[in-house]
Amino acid sequence: MAIPAGSKAPHFSLKSKKGDAMSDVRLDDYLGKTNVVLLFFPFAFTGVCTAEMCDVTAGLGGFEALDAKVIGISVDSPFAQEAWAKKENIGITLASDLNKETAFAYGTLLENLGGFGSASARAAFVIDKAGVIQYAEQTPTPKDLPNFEAVKTKLAELK
């Protein structure tokens, strides 16, 4: 079960890859500067996850206008995430939770997803500039998408 709104957001430092560069994605880098939307998703190269990240990429300007940085997190390696992002033209930052510690910290780790082992549930969190979770949603099943209108409404309230 996802940690609830009102909780202090667990800090994380995850890897992301674009081109020849491997970089660290840290929650601490955004605190005090911008709100953060964390989108946990099970696996790259799957239908629902691809549709979700492509839709978010298409609407990225709307999140930026609401003073938010969007980060997608899955248990895939940064190399797989980069290949997927290139193939599908995904423009948001993708961060690898290969060791599954961040999904566990946010309460979204599913122990055995479809026989593939542990993976993240699909979930959305809005974290304010102070590092407090203002919105938390774990979808009933990995096939369901988060309520993006509720995410945007919460971001508008924080602006």
Side-chain angles (χ1 to χ4, degrees), residues 6 11 21 26 34 37 44 59 65 74 80 89 95 105 112 125 143 145 149-150 156:
H11 296 275
R26 293 180 290 265
T34 187
V37 176
S74 74
N89 295 314
N112 188 11
F125 295 90
K143 293 181 180 183
L145 294 176
E149 287 307 312

Side-chain angles (χ1 to χ4, degrees), residues 14-94:
L14 302 172
K15 296 294 184 190
S16 183
K17 185 169 184 322
K18 282 190 178 180
D20 293 333
M22 186 77 71
S23 61
D24 293 315
V25 177
R26 293 180 290 265
L27 179 61
D28 292 353
D29 292 343
Y30 302 102
L31 296 181
K33 300 174 188 169
T34 187
N35 300 307
V36 175
V37 176
L38 293 184
L39 299 176
F40 286 87
F41 62 96
F43 298 113
F45 293 103
T46 59
V48 177
C49 296
T50 298
E52 177 186 15
M53 294 303 133
C54 288
D55 287 349
V56 171
T57 294
L60 196 55
F63 289 100
E64 291 168 350
L66 292 168
D67 194 25
K69 172 73 175 173
V70 179
I71 301 169
I73 300 175
S74 74
V75 300
D76 299 291
S77 77
F79 307 101
Q81 289 177 338
E82 179 191 36
W84 180 54
K86 282 182 182 177
K87 179 181 183 293
E88 302 295 344
N89 295 314
I90 296 168
I92 68 166
T93 298
L94 297 176

Side-chain angles (χ1 to χ4, degrees), residues 115-127:
F116 291 106
S118 298
S120 178
R122 193 173 313 282
F125 295 90
V126 173
I127 302 167

